[in-house]
Amino acid sequence: MLNIPEATVTLPKGKSALVATAMPAALLSCVYPQLSVLHVKREKFTLKGRTPSEVKNKKQKEQNQKMNLLQRLDTVEIDNTSRISQEDEQFCLNEAKSYEVAWKALEHAYKSVNKLLLVDSIKDKYIRKYGVVSQIEEAQQECNSRFISEITAYFSKKYNVEFNSSSIVDNYSFGQLITFEKVLDHLFEQLGGYSFVEMANEQIKNKIKDAVYKFEVKKSTLHLPNFGYFESDWMGGLKISWQKEGKMTKLFDALSLFEYGEPTKINKFLSIEKEMRQGSSEAPIFDKYEMENFNKIRSFKAFKNGKVSIEFHSIDLANEFANLYLKK
């Protein structure tokens, strides 16, 4: 017995079931005249116990649930203030307070001047649109740029991380009041998922790798040939070339990170940098500097030919630094 929406059909022996969804009984009689056809009342076709409308409604409901989930995800805002310390947040709040006072004063002046430009007896006679108005717009833009720069410079200096503040400034016009939360959003976007400390570590390692072209480890000492360059000073001595100061800073940053495990400035290295700028006439910059109370680094020595040698407490530590910070 084959059930279809419009008829109940008895198939003769040896005939396969006829697949149809709504074939009229008269057509069946023409195709298979030997079939006995009994007209019955139309019934709803079911699929696993559900009508087509029920199946359609279920799919629509599932689609709506997915859309609602996506809409909720789009409206989720990440509060980056929870990712900074209370000290950092307090700095941002103080800076934002000063910025808002200045920006709102400029905004008030901008609106006042533009209002006066509507008066025919004043416009282009006492106040010109491309005079005072343009200057106020420039002042507002400078106000925005300075605020972004101050927030960026704070985190850059504290965590020894480089940020591109100009790319943040490009996102805002002179007439937009910027919140420090928005600036933080841009900074964390530039971090690419890293924390401030993690990004600082990565940048320090990348910088020293780019700065060192050749190195050699002998016993527990790391040698960097032609790393520095010393030029004559006006007193007849030698001092570090200003073009090589940056390379020396990158080396000391890497050694500091290796020694303490975090991006920080070590006073001993800062002192050596200062003496190198002063020159050999004022400081013994070519003597061996002993690193007292250091757990990994024993000494540092610079040579007149530009070579630099760093002695570690063991050959394992020397190789570890070379592999982690110098090997490309």
Side-chain angles (χ1 to χ4, degrees):
M1 184 74 69
L2 174 65
N3 293 322
I4 59 174
E6 292 193 357
T8 300
V9 182
T10 303
L11 295 176
K13 292 182 179 181
K15 297 294 182 179
S16 59
L18 178 65
V19 179
T21 56
M23 183 177 288
L27 180 58
L28 282 174
S29 300
C30 295
V31 177
Y32 293 104
Q34 68 273 36
L35 297 180
S36 61
V37 178
L38 176 64
H39 289 278
V40 296
K41 182 180 179 181
R42 178 185 294 272
E43 296 179 355
K44 291 184 178 180
F45 176 70
T46 61
L47 178 63
K48 293 184 179 180
R50 298 193 301 271
T51 64
S53 60
E54 290 174 339
V55 174
K56 182 178 180 180
N57 291 338
K58 186 176 185 297
K59 289 183 178 180
Q60 186 64 45
K61 184 177 180 181
E62 291 175 350
Q63 290 178 353
N64 291 338
Q65 290 175 342
K66 291 179 180 179
M67 290 298 296
N68 291 335
L69 178 60
L70 292 174
Q71 290 173 353
R72 288 197 297 270
L73 290 174
D74 289 338
T75 58
V76 170
E77 295 184 2
I78 300 176
D79 182 12
N80 282 316
T81 57
S82 62
R83 302 172 67 180
I84 62 177
S85 66
Q86 290 184 349
E87 180 184 22
D88 295 342
E89 184 178 5
Q90 190 59 52
F91 169 84
C92 293
L93 288 169
N94 294 338
E95 200 65 38
K97 184 177 180 181
S98 300
Y99 157 72
E100 287 179 14
V101 171
W103 189 91
K104 288 180 179 179
L106 292 171
E107 177 68 7
H108 177 73
Y110 182 78
K111 290 181 177 180
S112 298
V113 170
N114 276 282
K115 187 175 181 180
L116 291 174
L117 288 174
L118 299 175
V119 182
D120 293 334
S121 61
I122 296 178
K123 181 181 66 175
D124 296 329
K125 183 177 182 181
Y126 294 104
I127 297 179
R128 290 182 295 108
K129 180 178 180 180
Y130 297 104
V132 177
V133 174
S134 297
Q135 292 175 355
I136 296 176
E137 290 177 355
E138 291 176 5
Q140 283 184 290
Q141 187 63 52
E142 175 61 26
C143 188
N144 283 350
S145 300
R146 189 55 184 267
F147 175 62
I148 292 173
S149 177
E150 289 296 320
I151 298 295
T152 303
Y154 169 83
F155 287 99
S156 180
K157 182 178 181 180
K158 181 174 180 178
Y159 295 101
N160 197 22
V161 179
E162 291 185 359
F163 291 105
N164 185 355
S165 60
S166 60
S167 66
I168 303 176
V169 174
D170 294 340
N171 289 278
Y172 300 96
S173 65
F174 69 90
Q176 290 179 277
L177 178 66
I178 309 169
T179 64
F180 80 86
E181 291 90 349
K182 287 295 184 182
V183 180
L184 284 180
D185 290 343
H186 289 289
L187 295 184
F188 277 103
E189 182 179 351
Q190 292 187 24
L191 288 175
Y194 288 104
S195 66
F196 287 110
V197 174
E198 290 169 343
M199 177 57 76
N201 293 350
E202 288 298 310
Q203 290 184 353
I204 288 172
K205 292 177 181 178
N206 291 334
K207 287 177 184 177
I208 192 59
K209 284 180 181 179
D210 292 338
V212 175
Y213 299 101
K214 185 178 180 181
F215 65 90
E216 182 182 19
V217 176
K218 286 187 177 180
K219 294 184 178 180
S220 60
T221 302
L222 171 68
H223 301 284
L224 305 176
N226 301 316
F227 183 76
Y229 178 76
F230 296 90
E231 58 187 8
S232 300
D233 60 18
W234 62 278
M235 298 178 64
L238 293 174
K239 67 177 182 179
I240 187 74
S241 168
W242 66 270
Q243 294 175 320
K244 299 296 181 179
E245 283 186 30
K247 288 183 66 176
M248 202 64 69
T249 299
K250 293 173 184 177
L251 175 60
F252 288 142
D253 285 343
L255 291 172
S256 300
L257 176 60
F258 183 68
E259 177 67 30
Y260 285 109
E262 60 183 24
T264 185
K265 297 289 185 180
I266 297 180
N267 290 332
K268 184 67 175 180
F269 292 143
L270 293 175
S271 176
I272 296 174
E273 283 189 271
K274 181 180 179 181
E275 291 183 358
M276 284 186 170
R277 289 192 295 269
Q278 292 173 341
S280 59
S281 300
E282 298 184 28
I285 63 174
F286 298 116
D287 289 354
K288 180 184 286 188
Y289 290 90
E290 299 291 340
M291 303 294 132
E292 299 179 359
N293 301 320
F294 279 40
N295 295 321
K296 297 181 178 180
I297 306 168
R298 187 185 297 275
S299 66
F300 173 90
K301 180 173 174 58
F303 296 84
K304 294 180 181 180
N305 62 2
K307 176 183 175 181
V308 170
S309 296
I310 304 102
E311 184 182 5
F312 295 84
H313 282 288
S314 70
I315 187 173
D316 290 336
L317 289 172
N319 284 320
E320 182 182 351
F321 180 83
N323 291 329
L324 290 177
Y325 292 81
L326 305 182
K327 195 172 183 179
K328 299 179 183 179

